[in-house]
Amino acid sequence: MQSPGSQAKVSSQKRVLMVVASPAVSTTLGGPVGFWMSELVHPYMELTEAGYAVELASPQGGRVTPDALSDPRDPSGYSAHDVLSLGFLSSPRHAALLETTRKLSDVRVEDFDAILVCGGQAPMFTFREDLALRALLRGFLEAGKVTAALCHGTAALLDVTLSDGRPLLEGRTLTGFANVEEDAADQLVGRKVMPFRIEDVARERGANFVRAGAWKPFAVRDGQLITGQQQNSGRETARLVLQALGH
């Protein structure tokens, strides 16, 4: 365990921006959507317990809300096992972070050492068109900084182009919410849940898309680009971020 002094030293040197989606509405199912709770909380805890400073940001800034199924308190019980997220939501200090996220357009690349984009359902309806998020991701990568995305958060990478006009994903190895997992979600709901599939678009962009088995924890690093497969991959993604930051 690090001493408080050593944690303060690390925090002053390394700052991570975690991006979560602002509340949105699904164009396929019609209901409210947000970010996925474990995809924020699990990497957040890995990073902060290692002594790093973490700030939350969202496209609109201010209050953000989790997808209902990702909330351990939801009557469905889908995420009732996620006691880490339950603890986060039950802590006044941590829960308050969801009320005061920074607006993405106010973020400067030079203020952070890494960016980690969390997933959920809202990213699939909002992230690809978000020009501020695209610019940030390009800025982090071209500055040689750690650039990470998790699950449906990898949708934010699909349409990013580099300064020379090339697709960011061209020739890159990455993972994200896979077709086999989309198939399972569609079957569970009984209709098409997402407006597109990350795996298909990533391959169209020239990426080498890889995955582990459905719902298995999995993350991959390609230089400074780090991606995680789905909601069970938050810790693995954060650990690769820490490794890339030299922790």
PDB file of all heavy atoms in Angstrom, residues 73-101:
ATOM      1  N   ARG A  73     -29.506  -1.174  -7.984  1.00  0.00           N
ATOM      2  CA  ARG A  73     -30.754  -0.979  -7.248  1.00  0.00           C
ATOM      3  C   ARG A  73     -31.986  -1.194  -8.113  1.00  0.00           C
ATOM      4  O   ARG A  73     -33.111  -1.159  -7.612  1.00  0.00           O
ATOM      5  CB  ARG A  73     -30.787   0.442  -6.676  1.00  0.00           C
ATOM      6  CG  ARG A  73     -29.578   0.803  -5.813  1.00  0.00           C
ATOM      7  CD  ARG A  73     -29.464   2.300  -5.591  1.00  0.00           C
ATOM      8  NE  ARG A  73     -29.333   3.031  -6.855  1.00  0.00           N
ATOM      9  CZ  ARG A  73     -29.147   4.338  -6.953  1.00  0.00           C
ATOM     10  NH1 ARG A  73     -29.046   5.075  -5.862  1.00  0.00           N
ATOM     11  NH2 ARG A  73     -29.044   4.925  -8.136  1.00  0.00           N
ATOM     12  N   ASP A  74     -31.792  -1.407  -9.418  1.00  0.00           N
ATOM     13  CA  ASP A  74     -32.923  -1.555 -10.332  1.00  0.00           C
ATOM     14  C   ASP A  74     -33.750  -2.792  -9.991  1.00  0.00           C
ATOM     15  O   ASP A  74     -33.188  -3.855  -9.666  1.00  0.00           O
ATOM     16  CB  ASP A  74     -32.407  -1.662 -11.768  1.00  0.00           C
ATOM     17  CG  ASP A  74     -33.523  -1.626 -12.785  1.00  0.00           C
ATOM     18  OD1 ASP A  74     -34.100  -0.540 -12.974  1.00  0.00           O
ATOM     19  OD2 ASP A  74     -33.830  -2.678 -13.366  1.00  0.00           O
ATOM     20  N   PRO A  75     -35.071  -2.697 -10.035  1.00  0.00           N
ATOM     21  CA  PRO A  75     -35.940  -3.835  -9.688  1.00  0.00           C
ATOM     22  C   PRO A  75     -35.687  -5.090 -10.520  1.00  0.00           C
ATOM     23  O   PRO A  75     -36.009  -6.197 -10.083  1.00  0.00           O
ATOM     24  CB  PRO A  75     -37.352  -3.289  -9.946  1.00  0.00           C
ATOM     25  CG  PRO A  75     -37.218  -1.810  -9.787  1.00  0.00           C
ATOM     26  CD  PRO A  75     -35.857  -1.474 -10.304  1.00  0.00           C
ATOM     27  N   SER A  76     -35.117  -4.920 -11.711  1.00  0.00           N
ATOM     28  CA  SER A  76     -34.846  -6.092 -12.555  1.00  0.00           C
ATOM     29  C   SER A  76     -33.842  -7.033 -11.920  1.00  0.00           C
ATOM     30  O   SER A  76     -33.844  -8.240 -12.200  1.00  0.00           O
ATOM     31  CB  SER A  76     -34.304  -5.651 -13.917  1.00  0.00           C
ATOM     32  OG  SER A  76     -33.002  -5.076 -13.773  1.00  0.00           O
ATOM     33  N   GLY A  77     -32.964  -6.499 -11.070  1.00  0.00           N
ATOM     34  CA  GLY A  77     -31.929  -7.313 -10.448  1.00  0.00           C
ATOM     35  C   GLY A  77     -30.795  -7.684 -11.389  1.00  0.00           C
ATOM     36  O   GLY A  77     -29.906  -8.461 -11.013  1.00  0.00           O
ATOM     37  N   TYR A  78     -30.783  -7.119 -12.600  1.00  0.00           N
ATOM     38  CA  TYR A  78     -29.787  -7.514 -13.595  1.00  0.00           C
ATOM     39  C   TYR A  78     -28.359  -7.283 -13.099  1.00  0.00           C
ATOM     40  O   TYR A  78     -27.466  -8.090 -13.360  1.00  0.00           O
ATOM     41  CB  TYR A  78     -30.026  -6.739 -14.894  1.00  0.00           C
ATOM     42  CG  TYR A  78     -29.165  -7.169 -16.047  1.00  0.00           C
ATOM     43  CD1 TYR A  78     -29.534  -8.242 -16.845  1.00  0.00           C
ATOM     44  CD2 TYR A  78     -27.967  -6.510 -16.339  1.00  0.00           C
ATOM     45  CE1 TYR A  78     -28.738  -8.649 -17.913  1.00  0.00           C
ATOM     46  CE2 TYR A  78     -27.168  -6.908 -17.399  1.00  0.00           C
ATOM     47  CZ  TYR A  78     -27.561  -7.968 -18.180  1.00  0.00           C
ATOM     48  OH  TYR A  78     -26.771  -8.371 -19.227  1.00  0.00           O
ATOM     49  N   SER A  79     -28.136  -6.179 -12.395  1.00  0.00           N
ATOM     50  CA  SER A  79     -26.786  -5.859 -11.897  1.00  0.00           C
ATOM     51  C   SER A  79     -26.711  -5.894 -10.377  1.00  0.00           C
ATOM     52  O   SER A  79     -25.826  -5.274  -9.779  1.00  0.00           O
ATOM     53  CB  SER A  79     -26.348  -4.483 -12.411  1.00  0.00           C
ATOM     54  OG  SER A  79     -26.217  -4.473 -13.815  1.00  0.00           O
ATOM     55  N   ALA A  80     -27.608  -6.646  -9.758  1.00  0.00           N
ATOM     56  CA  ALA A  80     -27.621  -6.702  -8.293  1.00  0.00           C
ATOM     57  C   ALA A  80     -26.323  -7.250  -7.717  1.00  0.00           C
ATOM     58  O   ALA A  80     -25.982  -6.969  -6.560  1.00  0.00           O
ATOM     59  CB  ALA A  80     -28.797  -7.543  -7.825  1.00  0.00           C
ATOM     60  N   HIS A  81     -25.585  -8.013  -8.526  1.00  0.00           N
ATOM     61  CA  HIS A  81     -24.320  -8.595  -8.061  1.00  0.00           C
ATOM     62  C   HIS A  81     -23.206  -7.556  -7.969  1.00  0.00           C
ATOM     63  O   HIS A  81     -22.164  -7.810  -7.351  1.00  0.00           O
ATOM     64  CB  HIS A  81     -23.879  -9.681  -9.043  1.00  0.00           C
ATOM     65  CG  HIS A  81     -23.592  -9.139 -10.421  1.00  0.00           C
ATOM     66  ND1 HIS A  81     -24.591  -8.825 -11.313  1.00  0.00           N
ATOM     67  CD2 HIS A  81     -22.421  -8.822 -11.048  1.00  0.00           C
ATOM     68  CE1 HIS A  81     -24.059  -8.359 -12.431  1.00  0.00           C
ATOM     69  NE2 HIS A  81     -22.743  -8.341 -12.286  1.00  0.00           N
ATOM     70  N   ASP A  82     -23.401  -6.402  -8.584  1.00  0.00           N
ATOM     71  CA  ASP A  82     -22.332  -5.408  -8.697  1.00  0.00           C
ATOM     72  C   ASP A  82     -22.278  -4.537  -7.437  1.00  0.00           C
ATOM     73  O   ASP A  82     -22.710  -3.389  -7.422  1.00  0.00           O
ATOM     74  CB  ASP A  82     -22.565  -4.552  -9.946  1.00  0.00           C
ATOM     75  CG  ASP A  82     -21.419  -3.590 -10.231  1.00  0.00           C
ATOM     76  OD1 ASP A  82     -20.383  -3.671  -9.529  1.00  0.00           O
ATOM     77  OD2 ASP A  82     -21.560  -2.749 -11.144  1.00  0.00           O
ATOM     78  N   VAL A  83     -21.730  -5.103  -6.393  1.00  0.00           N
ATOM     79  CA  VAL A  83     -21.695  -4.397  -5.113  1.00  0.00           C
ATOM     80  C   VAL A  83     -20.734  -3.212  -5.139  1.00  0.00           C
ATOM     81  O   VAL A  83     -20.890  -2.261  -4.361  1.00  0.00           O
ATOM     82  CB  VAL A  83     -21.333  -5.363  -3.957  1.00  0.00           C
ATOM     83  CG1 VAL A  83     -22.420  -6.394  -3.767  1.00  0.00           C
ATOM     84  CG2 VAL A  83     -19.990  -6.040  -4.205  1.00  0.00           C
ATOM     85  N   LEU A  84     -19.766  -3.230  -6.046  1.00  0.00           N
ATOM     86  CA  LEU A  84     -18.844  -2.098  -6.151  1.00  0.00           C
ATOM     87  C   LEU A  84     -19.599  -0.852  -6.644  1.00  0.00           C
ATOM     88  O   LEU A  84     -19.440   0.241  -6.094  1.00  0.00           O
ATOM     89  CB  LEU A  84     -17.705  -2.440  -7.095  1.00  0.00           C
ATOM     90  CG  LEU A  84     -16.456  -1.545  -7.032  1.00  0.00           C
ATOM     91  CD1 LEU A  84     -15.840  -1.558  -5.645  1.00  0.00           C
ATOM     92  CD2 LEU A  84     -15.431  -1.997  -8.069  1.00  0.00           C
ATOM     93  N   SER A  85     -20.436  -1.043  -7.645  1.00  0.00           N
ATOM     94  CA  SER A  85     -21.238   0.084  -8.130  1.00  0.00           C
ATOM     95  C   SER A  85     -22.270   0.510  -7.091  1.00  0.00           C
ATOM     96  O   SER A  85     -22.562   1.707  -6.945  1.00  0.00           O
ATOM     97  CB  SER A  85     -21.940  -0.282  -9.439  1.00  0.00           C
ATOM     98  OG  SER A  85     -20.995  -0.441 -10.484  1.00  0.00           O
ATOM     99  N   LEU A  86     -22.804  -0.446  -6.360  1.00  0.00           N
ATOM    100  CA  LEU A  86     -23.758  -0.120  -5.299  1.00  0.00           C
ATOM    101  C   LEU A  86     -23.088   0.750  -4.241  1.00  0.00           C
ATOM    102  O   LEU A  86     -23.670   1.736  -3.757  1.00  0.00           O
ATOM    103  CB  LEU A  86     -24.304  -1.403  -4.662  1.00  0.00           C
ATOM    104  CG  LEU A  86     -25.313  -1.208  -3.533  1.00  0.00           C
ATOM    105  CD1 LEU A  86     -26.549  -0.461  -4.019  1.00  0.00           C
ATOM    106  CD2 LEU A  86     -25.700  -2.563  -2.942  1.00  0.00           C
ATOM    107  N   GLY A  87     -21.861   0.416  -3.898  1.00  0.00           N
ATOM    108  CA  GLY A  87     -21.121   1.211  -2.924  1.00  0.00           C
ATOM    109  C   GLY A  87     -20.845   2.614  -3.432  1.00  0.00           C
ATOM    110  O   GLY A  87     -20.948   3.588  -2.679  1.00  0.00           O
ATOM    111  N   PHE A  88     -20.521   2.733  -4.712  1.00  0.00           N
ATOM    112  CA  PHE A  88     -20.264   4.041  -5.319  1.00  0.00           C
ATOM    113  C   PHE A  88     -21.516   4.912  -5.235  1.00  0.00           C
ATOM    114  O   PHE A  88     -21.466   6.072  -4.816  1.00  0.00           O
ATOM    115  CB  PHE A  88     -19.859   3.835  -6.779  1.00  0.00           C
ATOM    116  CG  PHE A  88     -19.370   5.062  -7.494  1.00  0.00           C
ATOM    117  CD1 PHE A  88     -18.016   5.286  -7.683  1.00  0.00           C
ATOM    118  CD2 PHE A  88     -20.268   5.982  -8.025  1.00  0.00           C
ATOM    119  CE1 PHE A  88     -17.555   6.403  -8.363  1.00  0.00           C
ATOM    120  CE2 PHE A  88     -19.828   7.106  -8.704  1.00  0.00           C
ATOM    121  CZ  PHE A  88     -18.470   7.316  -8.874  1.00  0.00           C
ATOM    122  N   LEU A  89     -22.656   4.345  -5.603  1.00  0.00           N
ATOM    123  CA  LEU A  89     -23.913   5.088  -5.597  1.00  0.00           C
ATOM    124  C   LEU A  89     -24.382   5.419  -4.181  1.00  0.00           C
ATOM    125  O   LEU A  89     -25.092   6.405  -3.970  1.00  0.00           O
ATOM    126  CB  LEU A  89     -24.992   4.284  -6.320  1.00  0.00           C
ATOM    127  CG  LEU A  89     -24.818   4.166  -7.837  1.00  0.00           C
ATOM    128  CD1 LEU A  89     -25.721   3.076  -8.394  1.00  0.00           C
ATOM    129  CD2 LEU A  89     -25.095   5.500  -8.508  1.00  0.00           C
ATOM    130  N   SER A  90     -23.971   4.600  -3.219  1.00  0.00           N
ATOM    131  CA  SER A  90     -24.383   4.803  -1.825  1.00  0.00           C
ATOM    132  C   SER A  90     -23.484   5.781  -1.091  1.00  0.00           C
ATOM    133  O   SER A  90     -23.814   6.217   0.017  1.00  0.00           O
ATOM    134  CB  SER A  90     -24.393   3.456  -1.085  1.00  0.00           C
ATOM    135  OG  SER A  90     -25.275   2.539  -1.707  1.00  0.00           O
ATOM    136  N   SER A  91     -22.350   6.126  -1.686  1.00  0.00           N
ATOM    137  CA  SER A  91     -21.414   7.072  -1.083  1.00  0.00           C
ATOM    138  C   SER A  91     -21.775   8.487  -1.540  1.00  0.00           C
ATOM    139  O   SER A  91     -21.702   8.786  -2.736  1.00  0.00           O
ATOM    140  CB  SER A  91     -19.983   6.740  -1.515  1.00  0.00           C
ATOM    141  OG  SER A  91     -19.117   7.834  -1.318  1.00  0.00           O
ATOM    142  N   PRO A  92     -22.159   9.370  -0.650  1.00  0.00           N
ATOM    143  CA  PRO A  92     -22.515  10.737  -1.057  1.00  0.00           C
ATOM    144  C   PRO A  92     -21.418  11.420  -1.861  1.00  0.00           C
ATOM    145  O   PRO A  92     -21.697  12.123  -2.841  1.00  0.00           O
ATOM    146  CB  PRO A  92     -22.767  11.444   0.281  1.00  0.00           C
ATOM    147  CG  PRO A  92     -23.199  10.353   1.207  1.00  0.00           C
ATOM    148  CD  PRO A  92     -22.383   9.162   0.803  1.00  0.00           C
ATOM    149  N   ARG A  93     -20.168  11.216  -1.463  1.00  0.00           N
ATOM    150  CA  ARG A  93     -19.057  11.870  -2.169  1.00  0.00           C
ATOM    151  C   ARG A  93     -18.936  11.372  -3.601  1.00  0.00           C
ATOM    152  O   ARG A  93     -18.716  12.164  -4.531  1.00  0.00           O
ATOM    153  CB  ARG A  93     -17.743  11.623  -1.422  1.00  0.00           C
ATOM    154  CG  ARG A  93     -16.530  12.274  -2.089  1.00  0.00           C
ATOM    155  CD  ARG A  93     -15.296  12.165  -1.220  1.00  0.00           C
ATOM    156  NE  ARG A  93     -14.818  10.810  -1.098  1.00  0.00           N
ATOM    157  CZ  ARG A  93     -13.978  10.230  -1.965  1.00  0.00           C
ATOM    158  NH1 ARG A  93     -13.543  10.897  -3.026  1.00  0.00           N
ATOM    159  NH2 ARG A  93     -13.557   8.999  -1.789  1.00  0.00           N
ATOM    160  N   HIS A  94     -19.088  10.064  -3.786  1.00  0.00           N
ATOM    161  CA  HIS A  94     -18.957   9.509  -5.129  1.00  0.00           C
ATOM    162  C   HIS A  94     -20.202   9.776  -5.973  1.00  0.00           C
ATOM    163  O   HIS A  94     -20.097  10.133  -7.149  1.00  0.00           O
ATOM    164  CB  HIS A  94     -18.672   8.012  -5.058  1.00  0.00           C
ATOM    165  CG  HIS A  94     -17.308   7.692  -4.529  1.00  0.00           C
ATOM    166  ND1 HIS A  94     -17.056   7.521  -3.189  1.00  0.00           N
ATOM    167  CD2 HIS A  94     -16.119   7.550  -5.158  1.00  0.00           C
ATOM    168  CE1 HIS A  94     -15.771   7.267  -3.015  1.00  0.00           C
ATOM    169  NE2 HIS A  94     -15.181   7.291  -4.195  1.00  0.00           N
ATOM    170  N   ALA A  95     -21.370   9.607  -5.381  1.00  0.00           N
ATOM    171  CA  ALA A  95     -22.604   9.853  -6.120  1.00  0.00           C
ATOM    172  C   ALA A  95     -22.677  11.290  -6.620  1.00  0.00           C
ATOM    173  O   ALA A  95     -23.220  11.566  -7.695  1.00  0.00           O
ATOM    174  CB  ALA A  95     -23.808   9.530  -5.240  1.00  0.00           C
ATOM    175  N   ALA A  96     -22.100  12.214  -5.859  1.00  0.00           N
ATOM    176  CA  ALA A  96     -22.115  13.626  -6.254  1.00  0.00           C
ATOM    177  C   ALA A  96     -21.336  13.860  -7.546  1.00  0.00           C
ATOM    178  O   ALA A  96     -21.608  14.831  -8.277  1.00  0.00           O
ATOM    179  CB  ALA A  96     -21.529  14.481  -5.133  1.00  0.00           C
ATOM    180  N   LEU A  97     -20.385  12.979  -7.855  1.00  0.00           N
ATOM    181  CA  LEU A  97     -19.603  13.128  -9.081  1.00  0.00           C
ATOM    182  C   LEU A  97     -20.485  13.007 -10.320  1.00  0.00           C
ATOM    183  O   LEU A  97     -20.160  13.563 -11.377  1.00  0.00           O
ATOM    184  CB  LEU A  97     -18.496  12.077  -9.132  1.00  0.00           C
ATOM    185  CG  LEU A  97     -17.450  12.122  -8.008  1.00  0.00           C
ATOM    186  CD1 LEU A  97     -16.474  10.962  -8.145  1.00  0.00           C
ATOM    187  CD2 LEU A  97     -16.705  13.454  -8.014  1.00  0.00           C
ATOM    188  N   LEU A  98     -21.591  12.281 -10.188  1.00  0.00           N
ATOM    189  CA  LEU A  98     -22.493  12.086 -11.322  1.00  0.00           C
ATOM    190  C   LEU A  98     -23.377  13.305 -11.565  1.00  0.00           C
ATOM    191  O   LEU A  98     -24.070  13.382 -12.582  1.00  0.00           O
ATOM    192  CB  LEU A  98     -23.374  10.851 -11.088  1.00  0.00           C
ATOM    193  CG  LEU A  98     -22.641   9.538 -10.814  1.00  0.00           C
ATOM    194  CD1 LEU A  98     -23.642   8.407 -10.658  1.00  0.00           C
ATOM    195  CD2 LEU A  98     -21.642   9.231 -11.930  1.00  0.00           C
ATOM    196  N   GLU A  99     -23.356  14.245 -10.647  1.00  0.00           N
ATOM    197  CA  GLU A  99     -24.177  15.455 -10.777  1.00  0.00           C
ATOM    198  C   GLU A  99     -23.400  16.620 -11.389  1.00  0.00           C
ATOM    199  O   GLU A  99     -23.994  17.603 -11.829  1.00  0.00           O
ATOM    200  CB  GLU A  99     -24.704  15.890  -9.400  1.00  0.00           C
ATOM    201  CG  GLU A  99     -25.483  14.813  -8.657  1.00  0.00           C
ATOM    202  CD  GLU A  99     -26.803  14.493  -9.314  1.00  0.00           C
ATOM    203  OE1 GLU A  99     -27.383  15.403  -9.950  1.00  0.00           O
ATOM    204  OE2 GLU A  99     -27.258  13.338  -9.203  1.00  0.00           O
ATOM    205  N   THR A 100     -22.083  16.509 -11.421  1.00  0.00           N
ATOM    206  CA  THR A 100     -21.256  17.673 -11.762  1.00  0.00           C
ATOM    207  C   THR A 100     -20.169  17.349 -12.780  1.00  0.00           C
ATOM    208  O   THR A 100     -19.038  17.835 -12.658  1.00  0.00           O
ATOM    209  CB  THR A 100     -20.605  18.246 -10.496  1.00  0.00           C
ATOM    210  OG1 THR A 100     -19.825  17.206  -9.862  1.00  0.00           O
ATOM    211  CG2 THR A 100     -21.648  18.745  -9.506  1.00  0.00           C
ATOM    212  N   THR A 101     -20.478  16.543 -13.784  1.00  0.00           N
ATOM    213  CA  THR A 101     -19.448  16.219 -14.774  1.00  0.00           C
ATOM    214  C   THR A 101     -19.068  17.458 -15.584  1.00  0.00           C
ATOM    215  O   THR A 101     -19.881  18.355 -15.819  1.00  0.00           O
ATOM    216  CB  THR A 101     -19.930  15.120 -15.739  1.00  0.00           C
ATOM    217  OG1 THR A 101     -21.061  15.597 -16.468  1.00  0.00           O
ATOM    218  CG2 THR A 101     -20.303  13.862 -14.980  1.00  0.00           C
TER     219      THR A 101
END
